[in-house]
Amino acid sequence: MQSELLNMSCKELRDGIAAGRIKSAAATEAVFGAIEKYEPVIGAYISTFEGRALAKANEVDAKIAAGEPVGELAGVPVAVKDVMCTTFGVTTCASRILENFHSPYNATVVEKLLAADAVIVGKTNMDEFAMGSSTENSGLKETVNPWDTTRVPGGSSGGSAAAVAGRMCFAALGSDTGGSIRQPASFCGVVGLKPTYGRVSRFGLVAYGSSLDQIGPVTRSVADCALMMNVIAGRDPADSTSVDEKNAPVCDYLEKLDEPVDKLKVAIVPQFSAGADEPVQKALTCALDVYKKLGAEIIEVDMPHLDYAIAAYYIVATAEASSNLARYDGVHYGHRTENAGDYVEVYSKSRAEGFGKEVKRRIMLGTYALSSGYYDAYYLKALKVRNLIRGDFAGAFEKCDCVMMPVSPTTAFKIGEKIDDPLTMYLSDIYTISANLAGVPAISIPCGFDDSELPIGLQILAPAFAEDRLLRIARMFESNTDWHRKKPTIVE
Amino acid sequence: MAAKIDQTQVKKVAKLSRLDLTETEAAEFTGQLSAILEYMEKMNELDTTNVQPLAHCLPISNVFREDAVKESLGTEKTLANAPQRDGEFFKVPKILDEI
Amino acid sequence: MGELRYRVVVGLEIHVQLCTKSKMFCGCALSFGEEANSRVCPVCLGMPGVLPVMNEQALEYAVLVALALDCKIAEFTKWDRKSYYYPDLPKNYQISQYDLPLGSGGFIEIPLEAGRTKRIGIIRAHLEEDAGKNLHTAGNFSQVDLNRAGTPLLEIVTEPDMSSAAEVRTLAVELQRMVRYLGVSEADMQKGHMRFEPNINLIITKDGVEYKTPIVEVKNLNSFRVLERSVDVEEQRQLDEFLETGEVMGMGNKTTRGWDDINQVTVLQREKEEAPDYRYFPDPDLVPVEFKCEWLEDIRSRLCELPIKRQIRFVDEYKLSDYDAGVLTAERSTAEFFERVVAAGGKPKRVCNLLTQVGLKLANEKGCSVAELDITPKDFAQVSNDVDGGILSASGANKAIELKAQDPDKPFSVIYEENNLIQKSDVGELEQIVEQVIVDNPKAVEDVTSGGKKSKKAQSFLLGQVMQKTKGQANPKVVSEILDRKLG
């Protein structure tokens, strides 16, 4: 019964709870049972809120018993990445500099989850300030891949992906600046969507690269992803960069989810995708065959600037980060050094003590790219390359409904394998970062396994604000394959 | 070929970033940042003479809020996370220079 | 030593706090002297995850000033982050405008003596957020108050077009009058609403060769007096320094000095090891601003006649003295009220006297504007005309206004009546009183009739006696005529 309950989709669970067949309290207890069992191995959570979660679950159950209306995620236990501010618990960004930070406000998405009657069970581990591709840069703890505990879960939303795959919640929120939702989703065999820039409010999302950051769902199915989007999408007056309903209306992403896209035209970028490992390429080919069988036309497009995406991304993202992270200085909140001689040392020592190596590296890279004498060569140049990349997408989307490519060149790698070589780690982001640079939505869905039984993800990219079609395209694949039903052995 | 960035520059950038680096870190970062910046040279293969820089993906402008007052946090909540306070103030070591 | 001449050259940076209800990028109310750190929210505290949202009113206020300064308004502008670490700057960057200020290339006319004006160029006007305040205690620590952090701040930069301390002061005063006129700032110096940073140097001609001394920026001056004084002091100091060292303007030798008010000197501020590197870049959290025609025209329609133009017009149109016109146009509401009284039929000079002698005094006492005294323009016009018609004396008119302010519902007829303000102009009645005064004061009468030095004084004395006997109600004009007739 327990595992049956834990393997339910959000939608099934929500419907069961809303109909009174299942108690949210039972589902929440089941989740905390799983946490007790798997968390010591997986390490997905930075904090959990058992008492709070059960209280919320009981509240939802009572509302239903009383016949009162409930929200769209009524009683569903979910997790949020610890990069989103909550008034309960701490908001750490997996950094020692914020280890004891208590936010006085909730992120807009957290408010939306609460308003939808979701049960927030905990906050998940991540690379410090979302900087990384393996969750190894967490300053607070280690998270491992539920499919192989010697391997990384991906990152930076590694905790969210591991928690969803490990049945320690039914869905989670992650954030994606250069692939941080899609890559861990692919490594952990779950679904991860990075919405269009501006689709989901960033208010309360601790900023890394503000022009690239976007919150999105990590789920076990496309339908659950659509359900989560129904809850979190939409304009927020507190976020100037969230888009107006008038210009890009939010729709009910579940409504037409099961309608296949007619005359689907899928574009691929063969030379670009050829850079991935063989099992990944093979899985992509098989996935394309599935679409062909469903009547899709596959065309080849040229996107010549994608090869430059990593260079442009690591300048733009780090430049913004160097400024976004300037506020962690030990003056108004967060860690303060005990060894400051003067006020300048409060800054330089608190930051030196509070930040991990990758964060320091990126702050320095970004500071350098913005500094006098280097701005034009690096930052400005990167913004121009960014425009070329956006142009590549605009050109491609004139010819197709979506572009498909790998999520990551490899499957989950060994813990420690790349941690000392930052450039190699950066290069592994090759397939995910262009969606952030262009601002378009992209999803990762399970599409196979390699010889070591490690999951592989298929990435589908769509035009800005076409999440509804993107989800339908993903759903077409999911309805005709079983990859998403596979479970890591640890939870069998 | 000369390294893209040397230790003196790394230390200067660290200072600008308000990060105290140990000598070991400075040496390590110099090598790593050099390799990364070397990779960034790739961008120069592209002629971007007539390309506009793209700072915002969204083609939107003029997003405003009405000039209306919202409740502030109040002194206690404002100072709740302060590492050090002096009465209703944040407290820092004496500031000697002026900006 | 050969011939030496010099002139001082000054450009000014002015920061003006705008009087919006809420801060630039968040909903906190603007703060004046509340408990420290009470007007702070996650946004202006720079907490993790917060985002700024532009206050439209602040932007419109800034554009209004830029238009009044005849600036070209940018069609497209944006926000940039200016990075530097300082405890009063919670995000360690300030949201400002770097390469695309909302206004540029304007000018302002400032009044010089004898009704002349001078045009001072405006390089740029841009909007930014103010920082909080660092307070330096007697102990070994400083305190930080963020109440001010995020207040909308308009920065105006002039061309180095001023050539004396007095001109600098005049410009500052004129700007104060302008922003108050436009209703965009209280511009209260005591509250730090306006802050000045003059850039000063000298052009010295010595033995036929021209030298420029290094530019000195004096930081953070917050009164007209200190602004003027610092320019004077700096003028002398730079001259002395030049004569001693001969140093001239060169790359990177601009220095920053602070004002020491106790010793009335400027002091060199601690030099940074290297030039600041602010790393400006476009703020990704804010979208650009585009000034579409319609919007600009809407803002432009809110422009009013600027104080200096109005002052000149008042002299021309109402034949007022430059001084009176200056007093009436110092505040926009006063000037507009004056014109409403004139429109209601008051004679300009008389209305001016009423307003400056009693109206402004009462308003000042009540801490309101003349228009808010509960006395209508029509009331003022009536009193003014009653003086001209001989019904009231000038002092009676002032009294009537004062009483009206105390009891606005009471009609003037009653006020005049109850307080015996109506002048006695009845010749028959006054003749009797004059006769009596003549009888009672033979010495004075003799002085008048004998002509001579004491005649005028004696006549005034007799008039005074009549006024005394009538408790000030006699029309002095009529009494004088009777006296002239009787003693002439």
Side-chain angles (χ1 to χ4, degrees):
Chain A
M1 170 61 199
Q2 281 262 310
S3 76
E4 196 188 319
L5 189 59
L6 287 173
N7 286 322
M8 277 185 169
S9 74
C10 295
K11 204 167 162 294
E12 286 169 329
L13 180 66
R14 190 269 321 258
D15 291 345
I17 291 170
R21 291 193 306 273
I22 304 169
K23 289 271 180 263
S24 171
T28 305
E29 273 162 18
V31 160
F32 278 97
I35 289 173
E36 202 182 330
K37 215 158 128 195
Y38 310 131
E39 177 63 4
V41 182
I42 295 176
Y45 284 101
I46 286 176
S47 45
T48 50
F49 315 110
E50 189 166 0
R52 214 194 127 79
L54 281 169
K56 175 77 183 182
N58 286 324
E59 181 196 313
V60 173
D61 287 337
K63 269 203 226 178
I64 288 161
E68 289 171 33
V70 285
E72 211 168 352
L73 281 174
V76 179
V78 298
V80 295
K81 186 178 178 180
D82 204 18
V83 71
M84 294 163 224
C85 288
T86 52
T87 52
F88 44 93
V90 285
T91 300
T92 70
C93 299
S95 180
R96 288 197 307 280
I97 212 157
L98 287 178
E99 201 169 354
N100 299 307
F101 176 69
H102 293 267
S103 171
Y105 75 102
N106 278 327
T108 299
V109 288
V110 171
E111 290 289 346
K112 288 190 171 201
L113 286 178
L114 295 174
D117 284 322
V119 173
I120 297 177
V121 297
K123 299 184 80 177
T124 57
N125 196 22
M126 54 188 278
D127 286 298
E128 183 178 7
F129 286 103
M131 296 180 185
S133 314
S134 66
T135 310
E136 290 166 288
N137 295 327
S138 169
L140 301 180
K141 71 186 296 183
E142 183 180 85
T143 303
V144 301
N145 193 312
W147 295 85
D148 178 346
T149 57
T150 66
R151 292 177 187 268
V152 301
S156 67
S157 310
S160 288
V164 172
R167 271 57 184 171
M168 295 191 285
C169 62
F170 287 83
L173 290 183
S175 69
D176 190 317
T177 307
S180 281
I181 288 174
R182 290 159 287 159
Q183 186 255 23
S186 127
F187 280 15
C188 293
V190 293
V191 174
L193 171 70
K194 180 205 91 74
T196 311
Y197 185 79
R199 179 79 299 170
V200 178
S201 169
R202 293 186 296 117
F203 188 76
L205 167 67
V206 180
Y208 156 28
S210 312
S211 77
L212 307 154
D213 295 340
Q214 194 63 192
I215 291 170
V218 179
T219 57
R220 290 198 292 262
S221 71
V222 174
D224 283 356
C225 187
L227 173 62
M228 290 290 278
M229 280 300 285
N230 277 355
V231 173
I232 62 171
R235 156 123 178 102
D236 176 7
D239 177 0
S240 312
T241 63
S242 71
V243 171
D244 215 295
E245 304 293 331
K246 234 180 14 227
N247 291 319
V250 171
C251 51
D252 179 347
Y253 297 104
L254 278 170
E255 196 187 350
K256 292 182 182 167
L257 188 67
D258 287 318
E259 281 180 29
V261 172
D262 197 28
K263 291 184 189 140
L264 176 65
K265 241 180 170 177
V266 176
I268 52 169
V269 200
Q271 274 169 315
F272 186 56
S273 298
D277 284 359
E278 204 210 313
V280 175
Q281 287 196 53
K282 236 165 86 183
L284 174 64
T285 309
C286 294
L288 292 170
D289 285 341
V290 172
Y291 278 103
K292 271 187 220 159
K293 277 188 198 132
L294 293 169
E297 183 190 349
I298 313 289
I299 59 162
E300 293 186 7
V301 289
D302 191 19
M303 299 178 76
H305 302 105
L306 296 188
D307 282 333
Y308 302 89
I310 290 179
Y313 170 83
Y314 275 97
I315 293 296
V316 174
T318 60
E320 292 178 3
S322 71
S323 163
N324 286 332
L325 272 66
R327 68 191 65 195
Y328 308 109
D329 61 4
V331 173
H332 308 103
Y333 51 80
H335 171 76
R336 176 184 293 196
T337 181
E338 290 177 356
N339 306 308
D342 57 23
Y343 91 90
V344 178
E345 282 187 359
V346 169
Y347 296 145
S348 58
K349 289 202 157 81
S350 301
R351 289 163 65 78
E353 292 163 11
F355 289 138
K357 268 192 185 171
E358 182 58 28
V359 171
K360 288 181 191 172
R361 214 153 25 224
R362 293 196 193 192
I363 289 174
M364 303 236 304
L365 182 58
T367 303
Y368 180 75
L370 288 176
S371 66
S372 167
Y374 300 99
Y375 183 91
D376 287 2
Y378 292 104
Y379 181 70
L380 201 64
K381 181 79 183 181
L383 291 189
K384 290 177 174 184
V385 175
R386 182 178 191 180
N387 207 354
L388 292 172
I389 291 167
R390 186 176 68 164
D392 276 3
F393 277 102
F397 289 134
E398 278 176 16
K399 302 185 193 114
C400 64
D401 298 293
C402 67
V403 175
M404 291 190 189
M405 60 173 74
V407 179
S408 165
T410 66
T411 51
F413 45 86
K414 290 274 187 192
I415 290 165
E417 190 181 321
K418 297 184 183 178
I419 196 68
D420 293 323
D421 185 357
L423 181 56
T424 306
M425 190 78 99
Y426 296 175
L427 295 177
S428 70
D429 295 339
I430 178 74
Y431 295 117
T432 45
I433 54 190
S434 49
N436 301 81
L437 287 169
V440 299
I443 195 169
S444 169
I445 54 173
C447 75
F449 289 84
D450 69 3
D451 295 341
S452 318
E453 291 299 308
L454 294 169
I456 298 170
L458 167 69
Q459 185 177 209
I460 314 171
L461 303 95
F465 300 105
E467 279 85 355
D468 51 338
R469 283 171 75 81
L470 176 62
L471 288 163
R472 280 166 64 198
I473 295 166
R475 177 71 183 145
M476 285 165 72
F477 184 84
E478 190 180 77
S479 325
N480 289 278
T481 55
D482 275 330
W483 305 115
H484 66 287
R485 292 187 210 283
K486 299 266 190 286
K487 280 176 286 186
T489 43
I490 192 172
V491 300
E492 286 291 353
Chain B
M1 187 173 157
K4 291 297 293 180
I5 185 168
D6 60 28
Q7 249 191 74
T8 317
Q9 281 173 296
V10 165
K11 285 180 179 168
K12 208 180 127 187
V13 173
K15 203 170 164 199
L16 202 52
S17 312
R18 296 295 185 276
L19 287 168
D20 262 8
L21 294 190
T22 61
E23 285 299 319
T24 326
E25 279 177 318
E28 189 188 351
F29 285 156
T30 303
Q32 290 168 338
L33 292 177
S34 246
I36 293 164
L37 290 169
E38 187 67 46
Y39 177 80
M40 300 305 177
E41 284 299 306
K42 205 175 153 67
M43 290 194 296
N44 292 328
E45 293 168 12
L46 295 173
D47 178 5
T48 52
T49 323
N50 296 314
V51 181
Q52 285 298 308
L54 179 74
H56 281 95
C57 273
L58 295 166
I60 56 174
S61 59
N62 297 8
V63 177
F64 303 114
R65 61 180 188 83
E66 194 194 332
D67 182 22
V69 171
K70 277 186 167 174
E71 207 181 330
S72 300
L73 283 177
T75 304
E76 277 316 304
K77 277 189 180 169
T78 296
L79 293 168
N81 281 286
Q84 279 190 46
R85 61 184 283 186
D86 181 46
E88 69 267 38
F89 297 95
F90 294 97
K91 184 178 173 183
V92 288
K94 196 155 193 80
I95 301 164
L96 295 168
D97 55 350
E98 299 281 339
I99 291 292
Chain C
M1 197 176 107
E3 186 205 14
L4 184 138
R5 283 178 291 121
Y6 72 92
R7 60 194 168 90
V8 66
V9 178
V10 189
L12 196 57
E13 275 179 36
I14 307 103
H15 284 100
V16 184
Q17 277 188 10
L18 302 179
C19 60
T20 47
K21 295 188 194 83
S22 62
K23 290 185 180 181
M24 184 67 230
F25 296 112
C26 67
C28 286
L30 297 200
S31 159
F32 304 107
E34 289 81 12
E35 185 190 9
N37 292 306
S38 61
R39 293 282 172 89
V40 180
C41 75
V43 176
C44 56
L45 174 50
M47 283 216 154
V50 297
L51 296 170
V53 186
M54 273 178 267
N55 182 337
E56 184 169 18
Q57 183 73 80
L59 205 70
E60 292 189 348
Y61 279 174
V63 170
L64 202 56
V65 178
L67 286 172
L69 292 170
D70 251 291
C71 285
K72 187 178 175 306
I73 306 297
E75 281 171 35
F76 176 97
T77 182
K78 63 184 171 69
W79 300 95
D80 299 287
R81 294 183 180 178
K82 177 185 181 180
S83 294
Y84 62 91
Y85 284 82
Y86 211 46
D88 64 9
L89 190 68
K91 302 184 294 295
N92 289 316
Y93 63 79
Q94 178 190 31
I95 304 176
S96 181
Q97 298 190 291
Y98 180 50
D99 54 339
L100 298 172
L102 62 86
S104 58
F107 65 86
I108 179 173
E109 301 274 0
I110 61 167
L112 302 180
E113 70 290 346
R116 289 188 304 119
T117 62
K118 178 174 177 177
R119 183 174 282 204
I120 306 293
I122 301 293
I123 297 175
R124 57 183 285 157
H126 77 254
L127 196 51
E128 58 189 27
E129 54 174 348
D130 207 347
K133 277 183 192 163
N134 296 325
L135 299 128
H136 309 295
T137 65
N140 62 348
F141 61 90
S142 297
Q143 299 170 321
V144 184
D145 173 12
L146 297 180
N147 278 353
R148 195 180 69 180
T151 301
L153 200 59
L154 179 66
E155 181 178 316
I156 299 165
V157 184
T158 79
E159 296 279 3
D161 287 347
M162 285 155 284
S163 44
S164 72
E167 277 184 21
V168 176
R169 183 197 179 107
T170 305
L171 176 112
V173 171
E174 193 55 32
L175 258 177
Q176 182 194 45
R177 190 157 71 143
M178 177 189 278
V179 295
R180 282 183 174 169
Y181 247 67
L182 296 171
V184 303
S185 175
E186 290 171 41
D188 185 332
M189 308 299 294
Q190 250 97 51
K191 290 179 180 165
H193 294 167
M194 277 181 97
R195 308 193 293 268
F196 307 103
E197 291 177 353
N199 278 257
I200 308 159
N201 77 332
L202 303 182
I203 296 179
I204 299 174
T205 314
K206 190 181 168 195
D207 302 329
V209 185
E210 196 176 89
Y211 303 92
K212 290 177 179 169
T213 59
I215 295 176
V216 166
E217 180 172 345
V218 186
K219 299 295 267 186
N220 236 348
L221 306 174
N222 49 19
S223 82
F224 296 132
R225 177 188 61 82
V226 163
L227 172 64
E228 187 175 13
R229 186 86 187 105
S230 73
V231 175
D232 271 336
V233 163
E234 200 45 40
E235 185 177 320
Q236 192 56 49
R237 194 197 62 77
Q238 288 190 22
L239 182 65
D240 293 347
E241 190 176 78
F242 174 77
L243 293 175
E244 198 183 310
T245 67
E247 191 186 355
V248 294
M249 187 198 290
M251 278 289 282
N253 72 349
K254 176 176 165 174
T255 50
T256 302
R257 301 180 74 91
W259 177 249
D260 174 351
D261 204 47
I262 294 165
N263 298 305
Q264 297 281 298
V265 291
T266 62
V267 277
L268 190 64
Q269 294 195 337
R270 209 163 77 158
E271 302 266 344
K272 298 272 177 294
E273 286 161 57
E274 52 215 85
D277 185 347
Y278 292 125
R279 287 159 285 141
Y280 282 101
F281 79 105
D283 191 328
D285 290 333
L286 289 160
V287 299
V289 179
E290 290 178 81
F291 290 107
K292 313 238 164 68
C293 277
E294 272 171 43
W295 187 21
L296 268 188
E297 284 318 305
D298 180 40
I299 299 173
R300 199 188 296 276
S301 71
R302 284 174 249 168
L303 268 183
C304 59
E305 184 182 31
L306 292 175
I308 186 153
K309 287 201 178 130
R310 185 167 283 175
Q311 184 175 347
I312 292 167
R313 181 170 64 83
F314 276 20
V315 172
D316 283 354
E317 193 175 330
Y318 301 121
K319 311 296 172 216
L320 302 177
S321 70
D322 194 47
Y323 176 81
D324 280 343
V327 174
L328 287 179
T329 55
E331 301 273 348
R332 180 177 173 177
S333 63
T334 312
E336 287 174 356
F337 192 74
F338 165 78
E339 294 210 278
R340 287 211 294 278
V341 180
V342 172
K347 293 233 165 60
K349 180 64 194 161
R350 182 69 66 196
V351 173
C352 169
N353 288 347
L354 265 186
L355 287 180
T356 54
Q357 285 163 16
V358 67
L360 287 174
K361 192 187 95 188
L362 287 174
N364 199 30
E365 282 165 10
K366 290 198 166 182
C368 67
S369 72
V370 196
E372 291 162 339
L373 282 172
D374 267 342
I375 306 178
T376 64
K378 225 174 127 192
D379 290 342
F380 268 103
Q382 185 190 333
V383 172
S384 145
N385 287 334
D386 286 346
V387 178
D388 285 328
I391 296 168
L392 293 178
S393 66
S395 62
N398 291 354
K399 183 87 182 158
I401 293 293
E402 275 175 28
L403 292 166
K404 182 74 174 170
Q406 284 166 20
D407 195 353
D409 293 333
K410 197 172 270 183
F412 276 120
S413 54
V414 179
I415 291 175
Y416 292 177
E417 201 65 44
E418 284 180 359
N419 298 281
N420 298 320
L421 295 179
I422 298 172
Q423 295 194 121
K424 289 195 192 335
S425 301
D426 182 84
V427 180
E429 187 187 338
L430 287 176
E431 261 191 12
Q432 284 183 13
I433 301 167
V434 172
E435 295 280 4
Q436 190 60 48
V437 167
I438 288 174
V439 171
D440 293 350
N441 297 282
K443 177 81 178 72
V445 172
E446 195 189 314
D447 285 345
V448 174
T449 46
S450 65
K453 276 196 220 159
K454 292 178 180 167
S455 166
K456 262 224 153 80
K457 210 176 159 193
Q459 174 126 2
S460 299
F461 172 77
L462 293 174
L463 174 62
Q465 290 299 305
V466 178
M467 295 308 284
Q468 210 171 24
K469 280 202 181 307
T470 58
K471 297 198 179 83
Q473 286 176 350
N475 184 335
K477 215 173 134 202
V478 178
V479 176
S480 288
E481 279 166 16
I482 299 171
L483 274 170
D484 281 350
R485 185 151 39 79
K486 299 237 174 237
L487 303 173

